[in-house]
Amino acid sequence: MSVYKRRISAMQALVAGTVIAKDHISLVTIKNEFEEVRKVEKMKPLPRRRLLQLLHSTRALDSFLKGFTDFYAIRGSNHALGEYLNCLGTHTNPHLNKLPNGRAKYYRQKIVDRRNIYMHKAGAFPNDEKEILTLLSEMQTCLAEVASL
Amino acid sequence: MQRSQILEQVNRYLRDNYVVSVEPDLPHLLVGPDLLAGGNGRLAAIFTPKSTELRAPDQLITRFVLSRLALPKHAKCILIVDPERHTEPFISQVGRSFHQTIEVRELPSIRRIVGDSVNENIKPVADRTRQQVYARSNLLFEEASTRLQVQRNRRPAREVLAEADFRLEDHPIENFRWFQREGYRGQDRFEQITQWRSSIFLSAQRTENRRSLGDDLRQFFVFSVQMDYQLDQGVPYLDDNRFYRYTKLFIANALPAYRQDPEKYIRCAAFAGILVIQANSMNEVESLGNTVLERIRGELR
């Protein structure tokens, strides 16, 4: 089995094993987004594939964090990745640990800022293979870290 | 029953009710559970011993400890054993750490076992432990990631390590072990690990080969985890004296890249308490080690 398939299936199992699974619709859509990340793995040209992988990964992460913060009733009124990360670091829910100091900032720099370039700027394609793989991995690491809080 | 057959059967019994990942690739683990099953908010991590782990049970317990720390606290860790291949002393020695140990003949009941409540005799990992582990991991990862990006043309790691003069065999290494060595001839001997200026433990990449890098790191993980944690009924407790007293550095030949996840090696090493570096001399290694130890003491204590 390919390394990437093992990573994607691990993310799907992890999400299904968290509180998000209580919201069946969210669970299915997140699982499908991850499936798309894997399905486009052989698509060409490479920049288009990476852009799609980025899009599906970010939607999976966004939806997971939204569902997670909703479940613990710690989300503010904004729907944004940076906002979810803030809430995870500053909330007061005694049933959930906080995202450690600096981690929200770290993920904002490594994920939100970089992702926004490709999502919002016309003509921006991820050409640097290493940079995009690192960005995708940071998203998966963020999801795994939040799931373990 | 072969390991692959066990995992295939577990997958078959669980996949209609759970999302199953065989040999899951998790961002913080170089070697994790053999199978991960999630569903309805329940999460099960399934382990079954590899042939090398039969001779070196500390390898199995190392991946169990790191998996417990990396997975959500409600994850249930289940060990599957085959009495025809696994001896009774081995099963009783490692089995007590897991939430549940089952034999292969019980596989048809695995769905019920995964759905049962967690064994309350096995306590969850303390929040403080998880927080300290993640905080150190993040610090080591960021340190390694930043430094390795800018370093080029370094000496081969083994040459640098050869300057270190104090072999670990002279140190009471057995103090760090969870298991007595008796009866486990193949147990990791930590031959590649060296101690330097009392507070720094070192290992280095032996060859340019990427597979050897993974093997070298894994052996160091086994040492590092046994050094950091006391294990009591499946719960890893950080040993504060060692946590703040020693640092562990792995000297790599080049920025070690992992397919599809370029920083996986340094992230997994950081999670296991190890800083991956490149260096030209032992003076440089010592300076780096001291800097990191001071940061850990200053920022995490």
Side-chain angles (χ1 to χ4, degrees), chain A residues 114 117-118 126-136, chain B residues 262:
Chain A
R114 291 185 186 182
I117 295 170
Y118 300 115
N127 289 315
D128 182 337
E129 174 84 350
K130 183 168 173 260
E131 188 195 331
I132 198 73
L133 288 175
T134 303
L135 177 52
L136 292 172

Side-chain angles (χ1 to χ4, degrees), chain A residues 57-90:
Chain A
S57 288
T58 195
R59 293 203 312 202
L61 179 63
D62 268 66
S63 301
F64 171 74
L65 293 181
K66 177 180 179 297
F68 196 82
T69 49
D70 275 349
F71 179 86
Y72 287 104
I74 59 172
R75 189 169 62 82
S77 53
N78 290 340
H79 291 268
L81 188 52
E83 177 68 18
Y84 304 146
L85 291 168
N86 272 347
C87 297
L88 287 162
T90 56

Side-chain angles (χ1 to χ4, degrees), chain B residues 14-37:
Chain B
L14 292 179
R15 68 187 170 205
D16 289 342
N17 299 75
Y18 290 88
V19 178
V20 175
S21 175
V22 181
E23 296 185 332
D25 179 40
L26 290 156
H28 293 98
L29 300 175
L30 210 50
V31 197
D34 296 296
L35 187 146
L36 196 63

Side-chain angles (χ1 to χ4, degrees), chain B residues 6 14 33 42 64 100 121 128-129 132 146 152 169 179 253 255:
Chain B
I6 293 175
L14 292 179
R42 289 184 187 279
F64 159 77
Q100 199 156 352
N121 290 331
R128 179 175 175 270
T129 301
Q132 276 181 297
T146 313
R152 295 281 185 279
E169 285 91 284
F179 299 111
N253 288 327
L255 175 64

Side-chain angles (χ1 to χ4, degrees), chain B residues 11-174:
Chain B
N11 187 6
R12 206 171 62 236
Y13 286 124
L14 292 179
R15 68 187 170 205
D16 289 342
N17 299 75
Y18 290 88
V19 178
V20 175
S21 175
V22 181
E23 296 185 332
D25 179 40
L26 290 156
H28 293 98
L29 300 175
L30 210 50
V31 197
D34 296 296
L35 187 146
L36 196 63
N40 299 319
R42 289 184 187 279
L43 190 64
I46 311 280
F47 298 77
T48 188
K50 299 175 182 183
S51 55
T52 52
E53 291 169 343
L54 298 178
R55 296 189 301 274
D58 44 6
Q59 284 184 11
L60 173 60
I61 297 297
T62 295
R63 72 180 170 110
F64 159 77
V65 166
L66 291 173
S67 300
R68 275 209 86 180
L69 294 165
L71 291 170
K73 51 191 151 192
H74 64 277
K76 183 177 187 179
C77 295
I78 299 169
L79 177 68
I80 301 174
V81 294
D82 180 355
E84 287 186 11
R85 296 179 58 233
H86 309 139
T87 63
E88 176 51 36
F90 174 84
I91 294 170
S92 63
Q93 194 157 37
V94 298
R96 60 175 173 242
S97 291
F98 290 80
H99 290 105
Q100 199 156 352
T101 300
I102 63 169
E103 295 184 5
V104 284
R105 63 181 170 80
E106 297 174 86
L107 285 181
S109 310
I110 188 79
R111 203 170 67 200
R112 178 187 54 74
I113 291 166
V114 167
D116 284 348
S117 306
V118 169
N119 173 4
E120 288 182 3
N121 290 331
I122 307 284
K123 292 180 187 154
V125 178
D127 283 343
R128 179 175 175 270
T129 301
R130 296 181 84 94
Q131 285 158 3
Q132 276 181 297
V133 170
Y134 272 95
R136 180 181 64 175
S137 167
N138 296 333
L139 186 153
L140 294 176
F141 173 75
E142 287 170 36
E143 193 79 38
S145 177
T146 313
R147 289 177 189 277
L148 286 166
Q149 302 294 346
V150 294
Q151 292 180 333
R152 295 281 185 279
N153 302 324
R154 294 296 175 148
R155 281 172 70 195
R158 296 301 301 175
E159 261 183 51
V160 178
L161 189 63
E163 287 179 24
D165 54 6
F166 183 41
R167 301 297 307 172
L168 197 65
E169 285 91 284
D170 302 330
H171 196 77
I173 180 66
E174 297 304 323

